[in-house]
Amino acid sequence: MKKTQARWFVLCLAAACFTGCGDDSNDSTVSCKDMKCPAGTTCNEKTATCDPVVDKCQDVKCDSGKVCDPATGDCKGATSDKCQDVKCDSGKVCDPATGDCKDATSDKCQDVKCDSGKVCDPATGDCKDATSDKCKDVKCDSGQTCNPETGKCEGEAKPGKCDGVTCGAGEVCNPSTGKCEGEASCTDDKDCKWDPDKYTETEYCNKTTGKCENSKCQGKTWNKDYQYCSVTGIVQCYPGYCDNSGMTGCACDGECNLETHRCASTCEEIEGNIVINGSFEDWTSGKLDAWELKQNTVTAGGKVEKSTHASACKTAVKLTSTSIKIDRLESLPMSLGLQSFTGGNAKYECTIDAFGYGNLNLGYRLLDAEGKEVSENTKVKQLDLWGSDSYSTYEFEISADTTKTPYAQILIGFDRKNDSAASAEITLDNLVCVPKGNICDGVTCEEWEICSVKSDIKENGEFVGKCVAREGFCTMEKTPNGEPKDSCDTEISQCNTTTHLCEKIAGKCLKHEDCAEGQKCELSPKADADKKNKCVTGDRCEGVTCKPEWQACNPTSGKCTLAADKCLKSMDCPTKEAPLCDYSTHTCVAMDAKVGDKPLNIVPNGGFEEWEEVTFGGETSYILPVSWFGTEYKIYPTHLVTEFDPKNVLEYTKNVHGGTKALQLVYAKDKQSKRFSSEGFDVSSVGTSYDCSYFVRGKGSVRIHSFSSLGDMTKTEFTHIDSEEWTRIPFSIKGGTDLRLVFYVGSTDASKDHIQIDDVSCVKWTY
């Protein structure tokens, strides 16, 4: 059965992210990008619902010279509507005077309908004769606008890419690209002589294009979208572009994206990087994930846009501002980790790649454990960018006492230089912050020791790391009074100076297992001194009472342990027929067991027994597991969504763990992984701990992650699977709203049918 699912993005961070919504937190954006629609329907951009395809012009016949408007079904002049065939992106509308798409929020004509022969003036919202628009054929410089009453350009012109560019006859310079464009400018070579006062090379007339070109490039071909022929006759790429041809200026040290012809490095995560979406790769409905624009309340001149001019991976972020007041791009709170450095704060070294024009301030804000601001430094690094189109790398540092301020936000301020300057246009990419070296760097300890960053020892006025005994090991170091400092219980054991392990003294016992059968170790604090910690005749379970009914005294250890046929967690349930532990009875039960009228397992379709036919706004349909293949979050528009191509998400019936079906995921790329997410589901017991696990077999790497209104669960380590036997992987979560389970899967291999997952479960855990 086909199923239609409508989802909404609500761009507001929940309490787990420690901050409230920003100035634009009430904006809601719906998107058809990942919408699942049944065949024969299409996604409605305004409501994010799957609606039947309706042609309002199907039965409409218009008089000669008029055409039917498919949006309204009305007849209008065929030549009077410049928006007739124009389709704009979500959030933009077509200007009937120019046929251009512009932001809907800035268009006073958004809801204005004019009579035939008239157009709406976007500056005033008034209807006027289409032929009376004085700005109709006026083109203004960047930074200027045309006054419809005077037909003149007003405002301060921005120094453009055409400054200093000389074009041939019949051509004009395009201010967006800085290139000469226009109609044919020559018919013969004599039309192409260079100005001898400015140039030393002659041109020839390209009869195919009718344009003058460098004579040394005659007979050569190149792609003018990203290449040019130099005055020396060598075909080269524009800065930042490539084609992997090996010619000068066209190759990359890393990978060349042959779709965009941009140099791009791999998209692998930087180990230790604490910045969320610092690569600026993840966007939702045109908005940058994990970041928020804080506009200056007076001018509101700042904008955040996606850029394909990346220094790493595929995309970057472009910041523009028409204001001399600072706008700011702020990251979501990020965890610094609880690190203690005696004599100073924890340090994080940050780098960012940038180019463009304008003022750029790099800084950070420190937050306490509840997300409240403690301090901020908005200008750790101040940069004055002067218009380069190639990246430079800049450094700054975060310093924090992470015991008091365990969270931080990156603050990126930007503005144009002064009243007479052009708009700021700054492109950023590859923001990385990693922990800086600490006082234990370079300190070598014995195998039984570990270096402590809490050392109070100084050398040459600087704190240095100190080696201390690891947990479970002992040392014979001296006390400040010069006496031996033995970390063992000296009445029962002593430190072995060779192994650095506490060993019991001959004739003493530390536990019942140290004694012979039929004896127990006298551990009672009330025992006589000559018997204490010695083996005596007796029952090891004597006097031991195990109150929970699921526990019993172990006759070997004399301690209360799990009774036979009882369970504490689902890992205590080894059979596929009964893999879950019912917390109310501490017995192993089946996957579909219930507590009262509710399923014991809170994960919808955790056994992957239910599948459905879905589409993604098009005609192609796929069979996918019900309640999985999540595509967006309501609470936190993060990047943790399904990245798998739906054709690589398959039913598997050859060898399942439970039931009749399992999930098969195919992604054979090495050293990379793709995310496969569940759809969101609410857990009524918010904050309650849940005992979870999943079963996996096949060949590849897999790990699991979860997210809810309470925030991120710590990512588990990758498990490398190469077996046809099912392996159970445990993990835990806390309940919350809009809970997601996210599998990371990669390096799958067809030799064992790639990766299969089955019986994903989360059961309430009480002890």
Side-chain angles (χ1 to χ4, degrees):
M1 180 179 68
K2 296 186 178 181
K3 180 179 178 183
T4 301
Q5 303 182 20
R7 302 177 179 82
W8 295 76
F9 287 92
V10 179
L11 303 181
C12 177
L13 186 63
C17 294
F18 307 110
T19 57
C21 293
D23 297 336
D24 58 355
S25 60
N26 292 324
D27 291 344
S28 295
T29 304
V30 295
S31 172
C32 289
K33 178 181 178 183
D34 299 307
M35 191 69 183
K36 300 177 183 177
C37 290
T41 66
T42 185
C43 180
N44 187 320
E45 289 284 356
K46 294 183 178 180
T47 63
T49 57
C50 296
D51 299 339
V53 177
V54 178
D55 184 2
K56 294 186 179 180
C57 291
Q58 184 175 354
D59 300 315
V60 177
K61 293 183 179 180
C62 297
D63 294 336
S64 178
K66 293 182 178 291
V67 294
C68 178
D69 183 346
T72 63
D74 299 328
C75 293
K76 56 172 61 178
T79 59
S80 64
D81 185 12
K82 293 187 178 181
C83 292
Q84 181 177 343
D85 299 313
V86 177
K87 293 184 178 180
C88 298
D89 294 337
S90 176
K92 293 182 179 291
V93 295
C94 179
D95 183 347
T98 63
D100 298 329
C101 293
K102 57 172 61 179
D103 292 339
T105 55
S106 64
D107 185 12
K108 295 184 179 180
C109 293
Q110 183 177 356
D111 300 315
V112 177
K113 293 185 178 180
C114 297
D115 295 336
S116 178
K118 293 182 178 290
V119 295
C120 179
D121 181 352
T124 64
D126 300 328
C127 294
K128 55 171 62 178
D129 292 338
T131 58
S132 65
D133 184 4
K134 295 181 180 181
C135 290
K136 181 178 181 182
D137 298 314
V138 176
K139 293 184 178 180
C140 297
D141 292 336
S142 177
Q144 293 184 315
T145 56
C146 180
N147 186 327
E149 296 182 0
T150 64
K152 295 182 179 180
C153 295
E154 298 178 354
E156 186 177 336
K158 166 189 170 183
K161 296 182 178 179
C162 289
D163 289 358
V165 177
T166 302
C167 298
E171 290 186 316
V172 294
C173 180
N174 184 329
S176 299
T177 64
K179 299 177 183 179
C180 294
E181 300 175 356
E183 300 298 327
S185 59
C186 67
T187 57
D188 193 82
D189 288 350
K190 65 182 181 180
D191 298 329
C192 299
K193 298 300 181 183
W194 287 59
D195 184 340
D197 296 330
K198 296 182 179 179
Y199 304 99
T200 59
E201 301 292 340
T202 59
E203 293 181 322
Y204 77 100
C205 182
N206 185 327
K207 301 294 180 61
T208 301
T209 63
K211 292 189 176 184
C212 297
E213 297 177 358
N214 182 355
S215 61
K216 289 193 176 181
C217 295
Q218 189 169 0
K220 298 181 180 180
T221 58
W222 60 90
N223 189 318
K224 292 180 173 57
D225 289 337
Y226 62 91
Q227 292 176 318
Y228 69 98
C229 183
S230 71
V231 294
T232 59
I234 299 176
V235 175
Q236 295 181 299
C237 290
Y238 291 115
Y241 288 86
C242 60
D243 67 0
N244 271 2
S245 66
M247 65 181 68
T248 304
C250 281
C252 288
D253 292 335
E255 176 187 356
C256 180
N257 185 326
L258 296 180
E259 293 182 2
T260 64
H261 288 278
R262 290 283 191 180
C263 293
S265 64
T266 62
C267 299
E268 294 181 2
E269 296 179 1
I270 304 299
E271 184 177 358
N273 186 17
I274 61 173
V275 183
I276 303 172
N277 196 20
S279 61
F280 307 114
E281 293 297 308
D282 301 311
W283 298 73
T284 301
S285 298
K287 290 192 174 183
L288 181 62
D289 291 353
W291 292 82
E292 184 178 8
L293 174 63
K294 296 288 189 178
Q295 289 185 323
N296 180 278
T297 56
V298 178
T299 59
K303 290 177 64 177
V304 176
E305 300 172 291
K306 183 189 293 186
S307 170
T308 57
H309 191 163
S311 69
C313 207
K314 298 178 181 178
T315 61
V317 61
K318 182 179 180 180
L319 307 177
T320 58
S321 177
T322 57
S323 172
I324 59 173
K325 302 292 186 181
I326 295 176
D327 294 296
R328 185 177 292 150
L329 184 65
E330 299 185 358
S331 74
L332 290 179
M334 55 192 183
S335 175
L336 298 176
L338 294 176
Q339 303 179 58
S340 177
F341 290 75
T342 301
N345 289 341
K347 310 285 186 182
Y348 290 83
E349 295 176 316
C350 303
T351 59
I352 190 169
D353 298 339
F355 75 87
Y357 183 91
N359 293 322
L360 181 66
N361 297 324
L362 304 172
Y364 61 91
R365 177 185 296 127
L366 296 178
L367 310 171
D368 64 17
E370 297 181 354
K372 297 178 181 178
E373 179 182 333
V374 175
S375 65
E376 71 176 21
N377 187 341
T378 60
K379 296 181 179 180
V380 176
K381 188 85 169 183
Q382 293 179 269
L383 302 173
D384 190 6
L385 305 181
W386 283 94
S388 170
D389 61 357
S390 60
Y391 280 101
S392 295
T393 301
Y394 301 96
E395 300 176 353
F396 65 101
E397 186 175 272
I398 295 176
S399 176
D401 180 350
T402 54
T403 61
K404 298 178 181 178
T405 54
Y407 297 93
Q409 291 175 273
I410 299 291
L411 309 177
I412 302 176
F414 59 100
D415 63 278
R416 65 189 181 108
K417 293 178 180 295
N418 50 55
D419 286 329
S420 61
S423 300
E425 291 187 3
I426 300 172
T427 302
L428 306 174
D429 200 7
N430 204 27
L431 173 58
V432 175
C433 291
V434 294
K436 189 177 181 179
N438 58 60
I439 59 177
C440 278
D441 286 352
V443 177
T444 302
C445 299
E446 299 290 341
E447 290 185 1
W448 55 275
E449 294 177 315
I450 189 172
C451 182
S452 172
V453 295
K454 298 182 179 181
S455 170
D456 56 0
I457 298 176
K458 280 188 175 183
E459 290 182 2
N460 299 323
E462 297 290 336
F463 287 97
V464 295
K466 176 186 178 182
C467 295
V468 298
R470 293 179 182 272
E471 185 176 359
F473 290 85
C474 59
T475 178
M476 294 291 289
E477 67 179 12
K478 303 291 186 179
T479 66
N481 296 327
E483 299 174 355
K485 182 183 176 183
D486 195 334
S487 55
C488 303
D489 185 342
T490 55
E491 292 186 4
I492 306 170
S493 62
Q494 60 187 8
C495 186
N496 184 318
T497 56
T498 301
T499 64
H500 289 276
L501 294 171
C502 292
E503 298 178 352
K504 66 183 180 64
I505 300 172
K508 296 283 188 175
C509 59
L510 298 173
K511 54 186 182 298
H512 293 312
E513 289 88 333
D514 293 335
C515 301
E517 186 176 353
Q519 292 183 321
K520 66 178 182 178
C521 184
E522 184 56 78
L523 301 174
S524 172
K526 297 180 180 180
D528 295 338
D530 60 337
K531 293 183 178 181
K532 188 175 181 181
N533 289 106
K534 290 187 177 181
C535 294
V536 298
T537 302
D539 182 0
R540 297 176 184 181
C541 284
E542 182 182 359
V544 178
T545 302
C546 300
K547 292 184 178 180
E549 72 283 357
W550 46 269
Q551 286 189 335
C553 181
N554 185 314
T556 300
S557 65
K559 296 180 180 179
C560 293
T561 57
L562 198 63
D565 300 325
K566 293 292 183 179
C567 60
L568 180 59
K569 288 191 171 185
S570 293
M571 290 295 288
D572 301 322
C573 301
T575 66
K576 64 172 61 178
E577 293 76 20
L580 304 184
C581 183
D582 183 343
Y583 63 90
S584 62
T585 63
H586 290 279
T587 56
C588 296
V589 296
M591 272 288 289
D592 58 357
K594 293 185 177 181
V595 176
D597 59 349
K598 295 183 179 180
L600 178 65
N601 179 18
I602 65 169
V603 180
N605 193 27
F608 299 102
E609 296 298 309
E610 300 177 55
W611 293 69
E612 62 183 349
E613 182 181 1
V614 298
T615 66
F616 291 89
E619 296 181 357
T620 304
S621 62
Y622 303 91
I623 303 298
L624 297 174
V626 174
S627 299
W628 292 85
F629 211 90
T631 55
E632 74 263 358
Y633 282 109
K634 293 179 182 178
I635 291 179
Y636 178 30
T638 182
H639 57 281
L640 298 179
V641 296
T642 295
E643 298 174 317
F644 267 80
D645 189 316
K647 68 182 180 183
N648 292 329
V649 178
L650 305 168
E651 276 188 19
Y652 193 79
T653 58
K654 182 179 176 181
N655 183 344
V656 302
H657 180 266
T660 61
K661 299 176 183 178
L663 166 70
Q664 182 185 39
L665 296 175
V666 179
Y667 189 63
K669 287 193 176 182
D670 188 24
K671 296 182 180 180
Q672 293 186 9
S673 62
K674 286 281 190 184
R675 303 180 184 96
F676 179 77
S677 170
S678 73
E679 295 177 1
F681 58 97
D682 293 339
V683 181
S684 58
S685 301
V686 174
T688 299
S689 295
Y690 285 81
D691 167 37
C692 306
S693 65
Y694 64 92
F695 291 85
V696 61
R697 68 179 291 277
K699 188 171 182 179
S701 297
V702 62
R703 73 177 180 185
I704 195 168
H705 180 57
S706 76
F707 185 88
S708 74
S709 59
L710 297 182
D712 270 316
M713 174 194 79
T714 302
K715 292 184 178 70
T716 60
E717 294 297 322
F718 273 105
T719 300
H720 301 286
I721 302 297
D722 187 3
S723 174
E724 294 182 351
E725 300 297 323
W726 287 98
T727 299
R728 189 172 203 165
I729 308 295
F731 65 101
S732 62
I733 64 171
K734 287 187 178 294
T737 55
D738 201 30
L739 180 70
R740 309 282 172 138
L741 299 179
V742 184
F743 285 100
Y744 292 69
V745 174
S747 303
T748 67
D749 193 299
S751 64
K752 289 187 174 65
D753 293 342
H754 300 280
I755 282 292
Q756 303 104 58
I757 296 173
D758 202 1
D759 289 347
V760 183
S761 65
C762 286
V763 174
K764 186 186 292 185
W765 186 64
T766 57
Y767 177 74

